[in-house]
């Protein structure tokens, strides 16, 4: 059974498909970039999934064929708007990256997933990607840092030398490379991404839900309240580094140079 609980023009669509909750980031005109309303809708949906026994797996995907998610909405940030509403800070980007729940989560990556898009994938338990998808954290090329968990999660997910190269160069990798590095679980043609992810979700949902949830908690060393002590140091170091980087001259120069289509001139301050 499929049930839609949000209107078609909402920034995130929430559907029930049997025991699976499907969350679709729904701003295709902005490459599914995250704004405040999306953060609220996704965060609330995860709370619903956590608290309803009938939901056993969550699948996250993006609308359209241009991108899975382009990260934070830079236009909203340029207007002085926050993409994470007040009071929702603990759930992080899109209400998702630091919003750990007991139910398994699967990213159905329908297109490019750079920056915050890769951080959403890293926050998911499993990932299925289109063969056209690309992954990476290009923040250093803009004078920024990967502040939604990417810096430490990528280092944990990949071999150290691979992770360091991607973090320090900002270079992307293809879906096939991501599969070879075990960053994702499947690579399929773009038109099969969602069906493949939903099929995987249904296989998981067919199992005993309490046992599945226990395996997730044990494997990720996740407490019943969703906290992950193993990630505490990474989040603390990210929070410490963000203010100085965000207010640096380089952080202003990077986006400005990108908008002006020129090479940035770094000052190291």
């Amino acid at each position: 059974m499929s049930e839609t609980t949000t209107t078609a023009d909402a920034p995130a669509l929430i559907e029930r498909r049997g025991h699976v909750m499907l969350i679709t980031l729904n701003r295709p005109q902005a490459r599914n970039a995250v704004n405040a309303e999306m953060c609220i809708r996704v965060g609330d949906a995860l709370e619903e999934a956590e608290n309803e026994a009938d939901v056993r797996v969550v699948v996250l995907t993006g609308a359209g064929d241009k991108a899975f998610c382009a990260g934070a909405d830079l236009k909203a940030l340029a207007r002085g708007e926050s993409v994470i509403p007040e009071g929702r800070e603990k759930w992080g980007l899109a209400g998702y990256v630091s919003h750990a729940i007991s139910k398994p989560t699967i990213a159905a990556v329908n297109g490019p997933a750079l920056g915050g898009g890769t951080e959403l994938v890293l926050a998911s338990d499993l990932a299925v990607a289109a063969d056209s998808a690309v992954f990476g954290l290009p923040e250093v090329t803009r004078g920024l840092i990967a502040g939604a968990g990417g810096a430490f999660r990528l280092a944990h997910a990949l071999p150290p030398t691979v992770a360091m190269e991607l973090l320090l160069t900002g270079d992307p990798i293809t879906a096939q490379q991501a599969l070879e590095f075990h960053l994702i679980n499947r690579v399929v043609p773009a038109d099969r991404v969602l069906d493949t992810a939903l099929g995987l979700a249904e296989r998981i949902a067919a199992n005993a839900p309490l046992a599945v949830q226990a395996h997730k908690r044990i494997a990720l060393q996740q407490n019943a309240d969703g906290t992950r002590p193993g990630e505490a140091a990474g989040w603390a170091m990210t929070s410490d580094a963000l203010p100085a980087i965000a207010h640096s001259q380089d952080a202003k120069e990077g986006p400005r140079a990108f908008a002006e289509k020129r090479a940035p001139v770094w000052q190291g301050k």
Side-chain angles (χ1 to χ4, degrees):
M1 183 181 73
S2 178
E3 176 186 351
T4 301
T5 59
T6 47
T7 59
D9 60 350
L13 306 179
I14 317 301
E15 301 176 53
R16 294 287 192 87
R17 302 195 180 190
H19 292 297
V20 179
M21 175 182 281
L22 172 62
I23 302 175
T24 303
L25 307 179
N26 189 41
R27 301 186 70 220
Q29 75 285 357
R31 300 176 68 84
N32 297 319
V34 177
N35 63 7
E37 189 179 357
M38 181 189 286
C39 180
I40 291 171
R41 289 186 178 275
V42 174
D44 287 349
L46 290 182
E47 285 296 284
E48 180 183 332
E50 179 68 3
N51 293 320
E52 292 196 19
D54 199 46
V55 177
R56 299 182 183 177
V57 186
V58 173
V59 173
L60 178 73
T61 194
D65 58 4
K66 300 300 183 184
F68 169 63
C69 177
D73 187 334
L74 297 181
K75 291 183 179 178
L77 291 174
R79 293 192 297 267
E81 301 171 11
S82 174
V83 298
I84 301 177
E86 185 175 354
R88 301 296 185 104
E89 294 84 358
K90 68 177 182 178
W91 291 346
L93 184 71
Y96 190 89
V97 296
S98 54
H99 192 172
I101 62 173
S102 64
K103 314 296 175 68
T105 57
I106 302 173
V109 187
N110 56 297
L114 296 172
T118 287
E119 290 176 307
L120 291 176
V121 174
L122 289 168
S124 303
D125 299 317
L126 304 171
V128 174
D131 51 14
S132 58
V134 291
F135 302 85
L137 297 173
E139 281 81 354
V140 293
T141 69
R142 302 287 176 258
L144 306 171
I145 65 171
F152 62 87
R153 282 178 172 159
L154 192 71
H156 292 161
L158 299 180
T161 53
V162 175
M164 288 300 289
E165 180 174 349
L166 297 182
L167 286 168
L168 300 183
T169 64
D171 289 344
I173 56 173
T174 65
Q176 186 59 42
Q177 288 174 308
L179 181 65
E180 292 169 0
F181 292 141
H182 307 295
L183 185 66
I184 59 178
N185 299 83
R186 308 272 194 282
V187 174
V188 298
D191 60 359
R192 288 177 47 202
V193 170
L194 186 55
D195 286 345
T196 302
L198 289 170
L200 183 57
E202 289 163 2
R203 286 176 56 193
I204 295 169
N207 294 324
L210 296 182
V212 168
Q213 293 163 36
H215 274 171
K216 173 172 173 170
R217 287 197 307 272
I218 295 166
L220 299 178
Q221 299 181 12
Q222 179 173 309
N223 293 328
D225 64 358
T227 57
R228 297 178 182 176
E231 291 190 342
W235 283 118
M237 294 182 74
T238 300
S239 296
D240 287 346
L242 272 172
I245 298 297
H247 293 98
S248 69
Q249 291 300 312
D250 283 352
K252 297 182 178 71
E253 168 65 5
R256 185 187 303 119
F258 178 75
E260 295 173 359
K261 298 181 180 180
R262 61 173 174 80
V265 179
W266 305 122
Q267 300 182 46
K269 61 182 181 180

